[in-house]
PDB file of all heavy atoms in Angstrom:
ATOM      1  N   LEU Y 190     -12.856 231.101 185.056  1.00 98.00           N
ATOM      2  CA  LEU Y 190     -12.669 232.056 186.166  1.00 98.00           C
ATOM      3  C   LEU Y 190     -13.985 232.685 186.537  1.00 98.00           C
ATOM      4  O   LEU Y 190     -14.760 233.083 185.653  1.00 98.00           O
ATOM      5  CB  LEU Y 190     -11.653 233.119 185.756  1.00 98.00           C
ATOM      6  CG  LEU Y 190     -11.322 234.212 186.770  1.00 98.00           C
ATOM      7  CD1 LEU Y 190      -9.855 234.674 186.596  1.00 98.00           C
ATOM      8  CD2 LEU Y 190     -12.247 235.446 186.642  1.00 98.00           C
ATOM      9  N   ILE Y 191     -14.233 232.796 187.829  1.00 98.00           N
ATOM     10  CA  ILE Y 191     -15.389 233.546 188.328  1.00 98.00           C
ATOM     11  C   ILE Y 191     -14.899 234.628 189.296  1.00 98.00           C
ATOM     12  O   ILE Y 191     -14.061 234.348 190.150  1.00 98.00           O
ATOM     13  CB  ILE Y 191     -16.441 232.631 189.001  1.00 98.00           C
ATOM     14  CG1 ILE Y 191     -17.704 233.468 189.364  1.00 98.00           C
ATOM     15  CG2 ILE Y 191     -15.876 231.911 190.228  1.00 98.00           C
ATOM     16  CD1 ILE Y 191     -18.888 232.601 189.765  1.00 98.00           C
ATOM     17  N   ASP Y 192     -15.342 235.856 189.087  1.00 98.00           N
ATOM     18  CA  ASP Y 192     -14.920 237.006 189.884  1.00 98.00           C
ATOM     19  C   ASP Y 192     -16.056 237.430 190.795  1.00 98.00           C
ATOM     20  O   ASP Y 192     -17.103 237.885 190.325  1.00 98.00           O
ATOM     21  CB  ASP Y 192     -14.494 238.161 188.969  1.00 98.00           C
ATOM     22  CG  ASP Y 192     -13.957 239.339 189.724  1.00 98.00           C
ATOM     23  OD1 ASP Y 192     -13.338 239.128 190.795  1.00 98.00           O
ATOM     24  OD2 ASP Y 192     -14.126 240.471 189.256  1.00 98.00           O
ATOM     25  N   LEU Y 193     -15.887 237.234 192.089  1.00 97.00           N
ATOM     26  CA  LEU Y 193     -16.947 237.528 193.068  1.00 97.00           C
ATOM     27  C   LEU Y 193     -16.805 238.959 193.549  1.00 97.00           C
ATOM     28  O   LEU Y 193     -15.728 239.396 193.939  1.00 97.00           O
ATOM     29  CB  LEU Y 193     -16.848 236.560 194.241  1.00 97.00           C
ATOM     30  CG  LEU Y 193     -16.885 235.072 193.882  1.00 97.00           C
ATOM     31  CD1 LEU Y 193     -16.771 234.226 195.151  1.00 97.00           C
ATOM     32  CD2 LEU Y 193     -18.151 234.721 193.117  1.00 97.00           C
ATOM     33  N   GLY Y 194     -17.910 239.688 193.567  1.00 94.00           N
ATOM     34  CA  GLY Y 194     -17.848 241.129 193.869  1.00 94.00           C
ATOM     35  C   GLY Y 194     -17.122 241.853 192.762  1.00 94.00           C
ATOM     36  O   GLY Y 194     -16.256 242.692 193.022  1.00 94.00           O
ATOM     37  N   THR Y 195     -17.506 241.567 191.533  1.00 95.00           N
ATOM     38  CA  THR Y 195     -16.740 242.020 190.367  1.00 95.00           C
ATOM     39  C   THR Y 195     -16.730 243.529 190.183  1.00 95.00           C
ATOM     40  O   THR Y 195     -15.829 244.070 189.550  1.00 95.00           O
ATOM     41  CB  THR Y 195     -17.254 241.329 189.086  1.00 95.00           C
ATOM     42  OG1 THR Y 195     -16.322 241.491 188.027  1.00 95.00           O
ATOM     43  CG2 THR Y 195     -18.610 241.868 188.662  1.00 95.00           C
ATOM     44  N   GLY Y 196     -17.722 244.244 190.740  1.00 92.00           N
ATOM     45  CA  GLY Y 196     -17.750 245.684 190.550  1.00 92.00           C
ATOM     46  C   GLY Y 196     -17.807 246.014 189.074  1.00 92.00           C
ATOM     47  O   GLY Y 196     -18.595 245.423 188.310  1.00 92.00           O
ATOM     48  N   PRO Y 197     -16.956 246.933 188.585  1.00 92.00           N
ATOM     49  CA  PRO Y 197     -16.944 247.277 187.159  1.00 92.00           C
ATOM     50  C   PRO Y 197     -16.128 246.301 186.311  1.00 92.00           C
ATOM     51  O   PRO Y 197     -15.793 246.601 185.187  1.00 92.00           O
ATOM     52  CB  PRO Y 197     -16.329 248.658 187.147  1.00 92.00           C
ATOM     53  CG  PRO Y 197     -15.402 248.676 188.322  1.00 92.00           C
ATOM     54  CD  PRO Y 197     -16.089 247.822 189.377  1.00 92.00           C
ATOM     55  N   GLY Y 198     -15.780 245.128 186.914  1.00 95.00           N
ATOM     56  CA  GLY Y 198     -15.152 244.084 186.125  1.00 95.00           C
ATOM     57  C   GLY Y 198     -13.644 244.204 185.959  1.00 95.00           C
ATOM     58  O   GLY Y 198     -13.075 243.633 185.044  1.00 95.00           O
ATOM     59  N   LEU Y 199     -12.980 244.893 186.882  1.00 95.00           N
ATOM     60  CA  LEU Y 199     -11.534 245.101 186.724  1.00 95.00           C
ATOM     61  C   LEU Y 199     -10.766 243.789 186.656  1.00 95.00           C
ATOM     62  O   LEU Y 199      -9.913 243.613 185.783  1.00 95.00           O
ATOM     63  CB  LEU Y 199     -11.012 245.935 187.886  1.00 95.00           C
ATOM     64  CG  LEU Y 199     -11.628 247.343 188.068  1.00 95.00           C
ATOM     65  CD1 LEU Y 199     -10.957 248.052 189.231  1.00 95.00           C
ATOM     66  CD2 LEU Y 199     -11.484 248.163 186.814  1.00 95.00           C
ATOM     67  N   LEU Y 200     -11.038 242.873 187.562  1.00 97.00           N
ATOM     68  CA  LEU Y 200     -10.316 241.580 187.574  1.00 97.00           C
ATOM     69  C   LEU Y 200     -10.822 240.675 186.460  1.00 97.00           C
ATOM     70  O   LEU Y 200     -10.036 239.981 185.805  1.00 97.00           O
ATOM     71  CB  LEU Y 200     -10.463 240.901 188.924  1.00 97.00           C
ATOM     72  CG  LEU Y 200      -9.819 241.626 190.109  1.00 97.00           C
ATOM     73  CD1 LEU Y 200     -10.118 240.889 191.422  1.00 97.00           C
ATOM     74  CD2 LEU Y 200      -8.327 241.776 189.903  1.00 97.00           C
ATOM     75  N   ALA Y 201     -12.119 240.627 186.274  1.00 97.00           N
ATOM     76  CA  ALA Y 201     -12.684 239.763 185.220  1.00 97.00           C
ATOM     77  C   ALA Y 201     -12.104 240.116 183.865  1.00 97.00           C
ATOM     78  O   ALA Y 201     -11.744 239.241 183.081  1.00 97.00           O
ATOM     79  CB  ALA Y 201     -14.214 239.889 185.220  1.00 97.00           C
ATOM     80  N   LEU Y 202     -12.023 241.399 183.556  1.00 96.00           N
ATOM     81  CA  LEU Y 202     -11.498 241.819 182.259  1.00 96.00           C
ATOM     82  C   LEU Y 202      -9.973 241.715 182.205  1.00 96.00           C
ATOM     83  O   LEU Y 202      -9.416 241.385 181.169  1.00 96.00           O
ATOM     84  CB  LEU Y 202     -11.932 243.253 181.973  1.00 96.00           C
ATOM     85  CG  LEU Y 202     -13.441 243.431 181.717  1.00 96.00           C
ATOM     86  CD1 LEU Y 202     -13.800 244.912 181.644  1.00 96.00           C
ATOM     87  CD2 LEU Y 202     -13.856 242.738 180.448  1.00 96.00           C
ATOM     88  N   GLY Y 203      -9.316 241.965 183.311  1.00 97.00           N
ATOM     89  CA  GLY Y 203      -7.858 241.895 183.329  1.00 97.00           C
ATOM     90  C   GLY Y 203      -7.343 240.490 183.111  1.00 97.00           C
ATOM     91  O   GLY Y 203      -6.346 240.271 182.397  1.00 97.00           O
ATOM     92  N   PHE Y 204      -8.028 239.499 183.707  1.00 98.00           N
ATOM     93  CA  PHE Y 204      -7.626 238.118 183.521  1.00 98.00           C
ATOM     94  C   PHE Y 204      -8.258 237.491 182.285  1.00 98.00           C
ATOM     95  O   PHE Y 204      -7.855 236.383 181.879  1.00 98.00           O
ATOM     96  CB  PHE Y 204      -7.990 237.283 184.764  1.00 98.00           C
ATOM     97  CG  PHE Y 204      -7.094 237.495 185.937  1.00 98.00           C
ATOM     98  CD1 PHE Y 204      -7.572 238.042 187.104  1.00 98.00           C
ATOM     99  CD2 PHE Y 204      -5.752 237.106 185.872  1.00 98.00           C
ATOM    100  CE1 PHE Y 204      -6.735 238.245 188.197  1.00 98.00           C
ATOM    101  CE2 PHE Y 204      -4.905 237.304 186.950  1.00 98.00           C
ATOM    102  CZ  PHE Y 204      -5.403 237.880 188.132  1.00 98.00           C
ATOM    103  N   GLY Y 205      -9.192 238.179 181.663  1.00 97.00           N
ATOM    104  CA  GLY Y 205      -9.917 237.627 180.532  1.00 97.00           C
ATOM    105  C   GLY Y 205      -9.045 237.079 179.413  1.00 97.00           C
ATOM    106  O   GLY Y 205      -9.336 235.992 178.892  1.00 97.00           O
ATOM    107  N   PRO Y 206      -7.959 237.773 178.995  1.00 97.00           N
ATOM    108  CA  PRO Y 206      -7.159 237.247 177.884  1.00 97.00           C
ATOM    109  C   PRO Y 206      -6.436 235.938 178.206  1.00 97.00           C
ATOM    110  O   PRO Y 206      -5.923 235.276 177.302  1.00 97.00           O
ATOM    111  CB  PRO Y 206      -6.140 238.381 177.665  1.00 97.00           C
ATOM    112  CG  PRO Y 206      -6.763 239.603 178.232  1.00 97.00           C
ATOM    113  CD  PRO Y 206      -7.553 239.128 179.387  1.00 97.00           C
ATOM    114  N   TYR Y 207      -6.377 235.561 179.478  1.00 98.00           N
ATOM    115  CA  TYR Y 207      -5.594 234.387 179.868  1.00 98.00           C
ATOM    116  C   TYR Y 207      -6.457 233.159 180.156  1.00 98.00           C
ATOM    117  O   TYR Y 207      -5.915 232.079 180.450  1.00 98.00           O
ATOM    118  CB  TYR Y 207      -4.783 234.706 181.129  1.00 98.00           C
ATOM    119  CG  TYR Y 207      -3.845 235.864 180.943  1.00 98.00           C
ATOM    120  CD1 TYR Y 207      -4.204 237.159 181.351  1.00 98.00           C
ATOM    121  CD2 TYR Y 207      -2.615 235.702 180.298  1.00 98.00           C
ATOM    122  CE1 TYR Y 207      -3.339 238.237 181.157  1.00 98.00           C
ATOM    123  CE2 TYR Y 207      -1.752 236.770 180.107  1.00 98.00           C
ATOM    124  CZ  TYR Y 207      -2.145 238.024 180.528  1.00 98.00           C
ATOM    125  OH  TYR Y 207      -1.289 239.098 180.330  1.00 98.00           O
ATOM    126  N   VAL Y 208      -7.784 233.293 180.049  1.00 98.00           N
ATOM    127  CA  VAL Y 208      -8.674 232.170 180.336  1.00 98.00           C
ATOM    128  C   VAL Y 208      -9.733 232.057 179.233  1.00 98.00           C
ATOM    129  O   VAL Y 208      -9.809 232.923 178.350  1.00 98.00           O
ATOM    130  CB  VAL Y 208      -9.370 232.328 181.717  1.00 98.00           C
ATOM    131  CG1 VAL Y 208      -8.327 232.385 182.843  1.00 98.00           C
ATOM    132  CG2 VAL Y 208     -10.237 233.609 181.742  1.00 98.00           C
ATOM    133  N   GLY Y 209     -10.551 231.010 179.315  1.00 97.00           N
ATOM    134  CA  GLY Y 209     -11.606 230.829 178.326  1.00 97.00           C
ATOM    135  C   GLY Y 209     -12.924 231.383 178.787  1.00 97.00           C
ATOM    136  O   GLY Y 209     -13.465 232.323 178.210  1.00 97.00           O
ATOM    137  N   ARG Y 210     -13.461 230.859 179.882  1.00 97.00           N
ATOM    138  CA  ARG Y 210     -14.759 231.278 180.421  1.00 97.00           C
ATOM    139  C   ARG Y 210     -14.566 232.251 181.562  1.00 97.00           C
ATOM    140  O   ARG Y 210     -13.779 232.028 182.469  1.00 97.00           O
ATOM    141  CB  ARG Y 210     -15.538 230.059 180.899  1.00 97.00           C
ATOM    142  CG  ARG Y 210     -16.902 230.361 181.504  1.00 97.00           C
ATOM    143  CD  ARG Y 210     -17.505 229.142 182.148  1.00 97.00           C
ATOM    144  NE  ARG Y 210     -18.817 229.411 182.709  1.00 97.00           N
ATOM    145  CZ  ARG Y 210     -19.369 228.673 183.673  1.00 97.00           C
ATOM    146  NH1 ARG Y 210     -18.744 227.628 184.162  1.00 97.00           N
ATOM    147  NH2 ARG Y 210     -20.575 228.999 184.158  1.00 97.00           N
ATOM    148  N   VAL Y 211     -15.315 233.393 181.534  1.00 98.00           N
ATOM    149  CA  VAL Y 211     -15.246 234.397 182.587  1.00 98.00           C
ATOM    150  C   VAL Y 211     -16.646 234.744 183.048  1.00 98.00           C
ATOM    151  O   VAL Y 211     -17.529 235.068 182.233  1.00 98.00           O
ATOM    152  CB  VAL Y 211     -14.544 235.685 182.106  1.00 98.00           C
ATOM    153  CG1 VAL Y 211     -14.436 236.682 183.261  1.00 98.00           C
ATOM    154  CG2 VAL Y 211     -13.175 235.383 181.544  1.00 98.00           C
ATOM    155  N   VAL Y 212     -16.870 234.683 184.354  1.00 98.00           N
ATOM    156  CA  VAL Y 212     -18.140 235.053 184.968  1.00 98.00           C
ATOM    157  C   VAL Y 212     -17.881 236.107 186.040  1.00 98.00           C
ATOM    158  O   VAL Y 212     -16.930 236.004 186.805  1.00 98.00           O
ATOM    159  CB  VAL Y 212     -18.834 233.839 185.615  1.00 98.00           C
ATOM    160  CG1 VAL Y 212     -20.125 234.256 186.330  1.00 98.00           C
ATOM    161  CG2 VAL Y 212     -19.128 232.764 184.575  1.00 98.00           C
ATOM    162  N   GLY Y 213     -18.694 237.161 186.069  1.00 98.00           N
ATOM    163  CA  GLY Y 213     -18.596 238.181 187.112  1.00 98.00           C
ATOM    164  C   GLY Y 213     -19.892 238.250 187.891  1.00 98.00           C
ATOM    165  O   GLY Y 213     -20.982 238.196 187.328  1.00 98.00           O
ATOM    166  N   VAL Y 214     -19.775 238.365 189.222  1.00 97.00           N
ATOM    167  CA  VAL Y 214     -20.931 238.379 190.105  1.00 97.00           C
ATOM    168  C   VAL Y 214     -20.889 239.604 190.987  1.00 97.00           C
ATOM    169  O   VAL Y 214     -19.842 239.910 191.570  1.00 97.00           O
ATOM    170  CB  VAL Y 214     -20.959 237.116 190.989  1.00 97.00           C
ATOM    171  CG1 VAL Y 214     -22.186 237.108 191.891  1.00 97.00           C
ATOM    172  CG2 VAL Y 214     -20.912 235.836 190.158  1.00 97.00           C
TER     173      VAL Y 214
END
Side-chain angles (χ1 to χ4, degrees):
L190 179 148
I191 186 168
D192 184 32
L193 305 179
T195 195
L199 301 182
L200 295 176
L202 292 172
F204 283 115
Y207 301 97
V208 300
R210 180 189 180 202
V211 182
V212 176
V214 181

